[in-house]
Amino acid sequence: MPATLDTEIPITAEALLAIPAWQPERLFSGDDDADGRLYRMLALGFHPDRHPAAAEAFKHLSELKAARDRAIDTGTWRGAGVQALALGSGKRLNIRFLRRHEFELGTLLIGRRSITYLFREEHRALYAQALRTIKGFRAASRDMWEEVEKLLPCVQLEAETAAGPALVVTRAPDVVRLRDALDHLGGRMDPRHVAWILGTLHNAAAYLQWAGLTHNAIDLDNYFISPTSHSGLLLGGWWYAREAGETMTHLPASSARVWKAITPAHEAAARTATPRLDREMTRLIGRTLLGDPGGTRLLRDPTVPHALRQWLTTPGADDGIEDYANWARARDAAFGPRKFVVMDLAPREMYGDRSGR
């Protein structure tokens, strides 16, 4: 028997069972009263005494509720909520969010129309570096800017809070964090979708090379995608960006591991910013989206076209133009003429956004 959350989002037994037990935020809101009502309504709809065929769904519902309660009790709830910020001006700012994540410098809040990065005070210098980089974005012409601004963060608000600085950037409703998308899809994506995501990453790389910048943290946490328009946005991680040739003072752990792997020992200590790191991070994203960050199993995976496998496991070219040309040949050899393949990923459903807006 199907039960219903509201008039828009029906929950069948199959849909309920498709929610992983470790992602209760995909069902519950985090509000005690609302979640209590929802649980009672669904428990009634799936109770095995009334509907014996729904016994498995009823058990899974109980597991999701228990996971929700544990996360609330331990302060690890990632779902929707409200973050109250005490501003330096003495005012308070309430940020409503759909998803909460911790990152290496603080907290990330994904809202319906915004993404908020809350930096801990000890990382103020990196926050300032991000602002300098973002405010320094440029283009050769208005037409070029109209294209590249689609890839880049647009600052809504810079704020000082009691705990440290905050940076708020715009989020379109159909944009999702790439790691959230991968988790939602069970840890592996269709190679055809991996291909268009890699294509958008090359667009970002082309702008970085033109601007003389290195990002140094292109990963699943800092990259966002639009499943509907097949576009990508490099919204986070700009606190690690440097001009090519400058010294990288900080790197996240994932970038540091790649840097160590691709850089000769006598050069690694200097940490001179180079586009090569961004190119290798792009390959790591591709392998991770296919479920094999290391790439060893990928080499023998018959579900991934040979040309794509080979490109993902081969070091990038030193020259960005040559690297893109190699990618374009691999993409065409793997998939033939380009065509739009619908991605079955609904951002509102994924983030539990029931606003109707």
Side-chain angles (χ1 to χ4, degrees), residues 40-326:
R40 289 190 293 273
M41 183 265 289
L42 293 179
L44 181 64
F46 294 125
H47 200 285
D49 287 349
R50 298 179 61 196
H51 308 284
E56 187 177 357
F58 180 80
K59 178 183 177 182
H60 191 60
L61 172 65
S62 300
E63 293 171 349
L64 287 167
K65 180 62 163 60
R68 176 260 185 215
D69 293 344
R70 283 194 302 271
I72 295 290
D73 292 343
T74 58
T76 58
W77 177 249
R78 300 193 311 164
V82 179
Q83 177 79 41
L85 301 178
L87 302 181
S89 62
K91 297 181 179 179
R92 294 180 67 84
L93 175 65
N94 292 326
I95 297 179
R96 296 186 179 276
F97 59 90
L98 301 169
R99 188 68 60 86
R100 176 191 181 104
H101 295 289
E102 300 303 313
F103 73 110
E104 69 276 9
L105 306 183
T107 301
L108 165 67
L109 306 175
I110 300 176
R112 293 190 178 98
R113 298 281 180 176
S114 65
I115 296 170
T116 301
Y117 293 95
L118 303 176
F119 294 80
R120 293 189 293 274
E121 180 60 37
E122 61 265 31
H123 301 304
R124 176 174 292 278
L126 290 173
Y127 162 78
Q129 173 63 27
L131 283 182
R132 283 193 297 271
T133 301
I134 293 171
K135 291 179 178 180
F137 290 152
R138 66 190 194 282
S141 65
R142 181 181 297 274
D143 288 344
M144 179 182 176
W145 179 248
E146 288 178 354
E147 289 301 314
V148 300
E149 70 174 338
K150 300 172 186 176
L151 310 167
L152 304 172
C154 175
V155 175
Q156 282 188 8
L157 177 68
E158 307 161 32
E160 292 293 334
T161 79
L167 177 63
V168 183
V169 301
T170 300
R171 170 190 176 249
D174 66 336
V175 166
V176 299
R177 192 178 72 140
L178 189 51
R179 189 177 299 280
D180 293 339
L182 182 62
D183 288 345
H184 187 81
L185 295 172
R188 190 179 190 278
M189 286 189 183
D190 185 318
R192 296 172 299 175
H193 297 312
V194 175
W196 69 254
I197 291 170
L198 289 172
T200 68
L201 283 159
H202 275 89
N203 293 338
Y207 174 71
L208 289 170
Q209 178 163 328
W210 178 89
L213 293 173
T214 63
H215 185 275
N216 307 315
I218 298 176
D219 61 18
L220 302 182
D221 298 316
N222 292 319
Y223 202 65
F224 292 71
I225 62 168
S226 165
T228 53
S229 66
H230 284 197
S231 57
L233 305 90
L234 189 50
L235 298 184
W238 289 101
W239 31 96
Y240 299 114
R242 290 293 185 273
E243 291 186 8
E246 286 187 343
T247 298
M248 298 181 291
T249 57
H250 298 78
L251 285 177
S254 57
S255 296
R257 286 191 294 270
V258 173
W259 176 254
K260 183 177 180 180
I262 67 173
T263 309
H266 66 280
E267 297 178 10
R271 284 199 170 188
T272 302
T274 168
R276 188 181 176 200
L277 176 58
D278 290 340
R279 289 195 275 271
E280 295 308 319
M281 293 297 289
T282 294
R283 284 168 167 76
L284 176 58
I285 285 179
R287 296 192 300 268
T288 304
L289 295 179
L290 290 169
D292 184 20
T296 53
R297 297 190 309 276
L298 191 61
L299 290 169
R300 302 183 299 275
D301 188 341
T303 67
V304 180
H306 173 76
L308 179 58
R309 281 183 276 152
Q310 188 174 39
W311 186 86
L312 287 171
T313 54
T314 301
D318 290 335
D319 178 73
I321 296 176
E322 180 184 352
D323 195 60
Y324 176 77
N326 291 339

